[in-house]
Amino acid sequence: MATPRTKKTKSDDTSAAATSAAPATAETATDAATVPAATPASTSTETTSGAAAEFPIPVKAETPSATPSATPVPTPSAAAAPAKKKVEVLRQPAEVKYAEELVYLSSIDTGKRPFSWKLSPRMIRTFILGSTPADKIERPIAQKFFGDPALVERAIVTLASDRGLLLIGDPGTGKSWLAELLAAAICGSSTHTVQGTAGTTEDQLKYSWNVALVIAKGQSRESLIPSPIMIAMQQAALGRIEELTRCTSDVQDALISILSEKYITIPELSGDNVVFARPGFNIIATANSRDRGVNDLSTALKRRFNFVTIPTVTNKKSEKEIVLFRTRELLTRNQFEVELPPALLDILLQTFADLRDAQAAASSDDQRLESSLSTAEQIGVLEDAVLHSQFFGQTALSAANVAKAVVGTVVRRIPEEVSILSKFWHSVVEKRAKEKKGEWDEYLEGGKQAMSLLK
Amino acid sequence: MERTPPSNIEALRALQEQMDAAVQAFATDQHPVSDLLQQMVSDVERAMQEPLEIIPVCHHSPSSALHVAKRLSERPPKVIFMELCEDLRGSLDGLRDCRLPVALQAFAQTADAFPKGWSPLSVVAPLSEFSAEFQAIAYALEHPGTELVFVDRAVDYVFQWMPQQEDELEKHLIKEEEHDQGTPKAPGEEDLSDVPDHGAAIGLQMGNVEPTFDVFLGFLLKNARVRHFTEWWDQYVEQAVLAADYATYRYVLSLVGSLLRRLGRKDTDRENDLRRERYMWTRMKEHLKKTGIAPSDAIYLCGAVHAVSDVPEFGTRTDAVWEIPKRTPTKWLYGLVPSSYIAIEHQFHHPAGTVAIAETTWEKGIEALGVRPWKLGKTKSSAATSATKTKGKPAIVPATPPASGTADTARVLGFFTKPPLLHAADEEQLLKWSVDIVTLARDNGYLTSTADAIAIYQTSILLANLRNRQHPSPYDFEDAAITCLEKDRQVRKRNVPKLCQLLLGGNRTGKVGFSALPPLAQDVYTRLKPLGINLEATTIQRALIDFKKDPHLLPCSDLLWMLHYLTQGHPVLRPIMGERKLGHVPVQESWDVSIGKYQESIIRLGYEGVNVEFVVEKRLKTESFGPNAKTVTALKAAEDSILFLKSTRLTEELGDRAVDLLRNEMSAQDAPKIVERVRRLVHYYRATPSGLPKWLKDFVATGYSHYSMLLPKGFEDRGTRPAEVASMLCFVFDFEPQALALGCQRSQLEIAIRQAGPVTNDPAKIGLLWASELLLKLRDIDSIRAFLDQTLDNPLMLPVFPEYVSGFLLALAFAPVMGRVVVELLSKAFAKLPEEILYPWLPGLLLSLRPYAEDLLPRLLKDVNGLFPKDTKALGKWQPPWDKKASEAATPASASSTPGANPEVTPAQDTKAAVTPEEQAVMTLLQSAPVTAQSLAALLSA
């Protein structure tokens, strides 16, 4: 993407469905201090595995060797400890961001909680999908995931059952965001995460060794570095695996025994060589449906996962909601307020809807854009446009800027995609501009200009 | 009025208090809300106090059906009023013989009173066994003492009260897609092309309560956390009132009806509702007055929304009636058509599986509550319908539980909102489903095991808990099954949602019984009986007919061909082997017949006439006498009439029409098709003893002079394609002998060709023109050859050479003698044309040769065989005859002895190669009389 975007964490980038009504900034020390031990805000264990370490949450990262390996349960003191060291972070994980809400929901929750869940399934649903008057909850809970409620319900229920949850969908549909919300609501920590890549090894799913300690003291529980999954097992938490299908098949299959026997053996140790999962442990994995066929899941693994497919949002109304809320949220983080003219938003949504139609009608891959045209991309476009007009323009967001951002975001391969987009622009957008006039004209011109500069 | 005891009023008051309390607690601005509640309460009160017993119902609601069934056995009324179009009442009598679901249909082929685009107009009202309306209908039909009156507006008003715009009907049928957007489309939705649906009909259902106001609906669904209205209804109303007592049922439904009426309807719908309610009350009062039945002896079945109506005509206590507007003069036809669950769901935009789920609930309810549903006794014979009604009655009465017993049950049940009876049944059902779906999925290619059954069972219960339900609903079960079984891709044709629907009852297709069929369909059934196939079966039936063995099956075959013609490619009938052509005598035929499955298509024909022959005749006539009729359509109709009807009179009529049309048709566009048909017809009639009929003779004569007249214009007009001109010439030359015999003059043609000469510019047409001039002896071959050779020599004219050739090729169709010329031209073209002209022309050449593949190409090949050498040896010495002829003209003595050469050159040949004395003598004789020799040569060459 040829646009000045800040590097964001994966889930932020793709969570199309995220909005926040809760105060996102400045989680004060007092806030955290009031949190009782059982509430989700008290994450005491930071993971050490490479992938998960990218979450800079404001908690003290204890070295794994210092963690009592048998009982790494957070104690009240441990919960209060991180609050003293208040560091501002770019992006807080869901359990920190919505700490207040989670505490509140937990306090009014009367439902039956499976295993050691922090909330009952019904409350989790309320947390993710927002409250309605019918719930008779005094404090309004904002909707955090936009999509089919049945889908969320199925995901929650799966986690309460014996099987793992595999969220599958196109890029930018909010898989990771839903996984994070679920983990935050169920066990109060969403950071036991392994990012699946082509280079992920079995060690990263199970455990590895601190080589210096092994040399000094030999193999023992002390010199063992548990993976985020193993930590989750010990803490009765949810382990997350992002992009499971990016991992090679042998690494994927390491999950089979974790999911069925629910323990990990450590054959290198002579005694105490099995780590058992405590009740409440489960795995949420995400997979990209565009990766289908690269590393297909084995039948044995498929059987142990319940698949929940997250569709792309095509409903204009809810898409508008998502884009609007999400962009506002991102902009508040940059600490400036910009008015988003509804006309421009409509133009953007219309363009993407038209692009999707064109994409679907295209007969060969040569006529298609690489971009998935998801809601997340629209958010990206708006953010780009706003940032651009803030720093290089006349602060007010103009149609031309949006058009430039669209071109910049959608075009990946030059020159093929420029010509595809140009064709689209000169037929569809031009037609719309003729019909509707107004902002569309400026938009049309802006796009043309941007494309001519790309060539 | 023993059925409104004071305790009910008390209950209502308690309810009102509770509601007020709720208002106090939650509303920010309580006035509008409490006003609304006030109105709702008074709505219900008004409905309850009406002496005419109003039973509010909901469509496809098993609880409505159960309560209506129970109520009717407790308190037999003298008359039942129902919210269904009053003019549909007539078709009910055939219902006895049908397998549900079927639909009552009203149909109008054309309607001048409405916008043109609307026709044909069709309205269907599907009936299923577990609907309140069917229970009432069954009761009334089995109890002659009870009158059944439909009181809703006649079908005509359905259309009359719509905005009279062209696209309105379409809009109505499609319904805005916005409506469906919230609900995820089941990926495996049944392909509708495969099942009989209602076509483009407007659906009516009794007790339609679904809110049409989107904002309200969206709010309701969001807050109730359900996906669609039917699910909401099932969870919040259906399950609650299923086992409740009758009074509670009425209160709850009225209350819900009032809520939906006040908040859930769009303004336009509300307006329509009001009109309908005024209509219904007016009709009811009229009926009561006429028959003198007391209001308390009547029952009024209507949608919950209408039960709480507030129109001035409401209630038997007022005398207000509405002046009903006039119907349009549209002629409506009524009948029964088969329906299916899928068709019903599709028609009313219910999510897939709704009807099957309703059926499951109904069966569960019957079993658990001990209600005996009303069923229609079968007629023993269609003739004795009325007799059976009265005679059959005693046999049916024992089936109904005694009224007092039911009342007891009802009272007892009133104490439980959820009887334990139902719970056990539910549990059993869920277990069975979980096990069955796994088996079903395995059969469909999913790798499933018992572990999955356990997981589904567990997940269903978890989901039900999450969704605040006491027991997993079928929707929960479906979700659970999808979660546990559906992986990243669907294995075979069916996916898990589809399998769940199959499991929960699947689709069921109704069948209209014989006696309820229109006369045409009955006739079809009777006449196809000799075929010995099962016409009732829903599977495809293969009929094999051997006419040698069973000549008596010929009429069946005739009928099948007629039906095939009428249904026009509909899968109801498919000829596998056999054809119907002019002059063809069938030997064997085989047919795929699925009348059982697509009964509707046959029934629909019944609206057009009383028997198939009549309908065919009508169709043929509309086809050829319509405003857009062309000669070719009329000819086709005439041909079809020979094929199907064997009525000389009709064929004559259609043929005369074709002649008329031809006389007025000023373009040659259809000429190719016309020539083809006329040729076929002439061939056919020649073989008959009577010879050509008068109309065909007329047609030929008219065609000859008509096309002769059109020729010059055809040659000149750039819009007329060469192929069309060729067809005209074809007609003229082909039928010349007949035409001349009928008094046409050849001079007309000659004049036309002469006129065409100066105006023709198109090379292809020039080719055609010369060919016809050649036939008419207006031009000789040498001048053509000279011109074309010149063309080949001139590089500027070279590119148009192929077009000339195309023209001559087209001429082959009417002048087979041109074969040699064509071969010569083609050879020259291949020899001399440069590649850049030749290659692009080749595909077009092949295409223009293709139509002649059957009759002309063999002749052309014969000519080729005659002209070209037989083996490679001869090739070396070979010289094309045309070159030879050219050199011959210069030096007549240098001709070689090519076999099969032009007879014209034979004398010259003899001069050179004569060896025998006999030949010598002949030669001398010929030479001595040159005039005779030349005329002989001319004769031989002709």
Side-chain angles (χ1 to χ4, degrees), chain B residues 35-48:
Chain B
D35 281 355
L36 174 72
L37 290 175
Q38 201 73 48
Q39 281 166 347
M40 281 168 61
V41 171
S42 66
D43 273 351
V44 176
E45 231 162 334
R46 193 174 55 239
M48 293 299 136

Side-chain angles (χ1 to χ4, degrees), chain A residues 121-187:
Chain A
R122 225 173 282 172
M123 275 302 160
I124 296 171
R125 181 182 63 185
T126 310
F127 172 68
I128 294 174
L129 293 173
S131 60
T132 60
D135 293 327
K136 304 192 177 69
I137 292 178
E138 283 164 39
R139 189 190 149 133
I141 306 291
Q143 189 167 2
K144 297 171 192 67
F145 181 84
F146 289 83
D148 183 11
L151 181 154
V152 176
E153 287 170 356
R154 283 167 48 200
I156 297 172
V157 164
T158 297
L159 289 173
S161 78
D162 198 32
R163 300 187 179 190
L165 171 68
L166 181 67
L167 299 169
I168 193 161
D170 268 359
T173 44
K175 298 182 292 290
S176 306
W177 177 238
L178 180 59
E180 184 177 338
L181 285 173
L182 283 169
I186 290 174
C187 64

Side-chain angles (χ1 to χ4, degrees), chain B residues 241-289:
Chain B
V241 295
L242 188 59
D245 63 29
Y246 176 65
T248 317
Y249 167 80
R250 273 182 77 203
Y251 279 128
V252 172
L253 255 85
S254 307
L255 204 59
V256 174
S258 168
L259 173 75
L260 295 177
R261 178 191 181 82
R262 299 210 169 264
L263 295 179
R265 306 288 277 182
K266 263 194 287 204
D267 284 347
T268 48
D269 293 326
R270 194 175 303 155
E271 214 174 281
N272 218 346
D273 284 351
L274 287 179
R275 266 194 293 224
R276 286 174 56 195
E277 282 151 8
R278 304 176 80 178
Y279 194 102
M280 288 193 270
W281 279 104
T282 308
R283 284 283 187 244
M284 280 191 278
K285 284 179 193 168
E286 281 172 9
H287 188 85
L288 290 178
K289 206 184 240 174

Side-chain angles (χ1 to χ4, degrees), chain A residues 24-32 56-60 80-90 92 96-97:
Chain A
T25 49
E27 205 71 38
T28 58
T30 48
D31 273 345
I57 63 162
V59 278
K60 198 180 107 206
K84 286 169 194 154
K85 272 170 71 183
K86 176 68 196 152
V87 186
E88 214 173 319
V89 294
L90 178 60
Q92 294 161 315
V96 178
K97 191 164 163 185

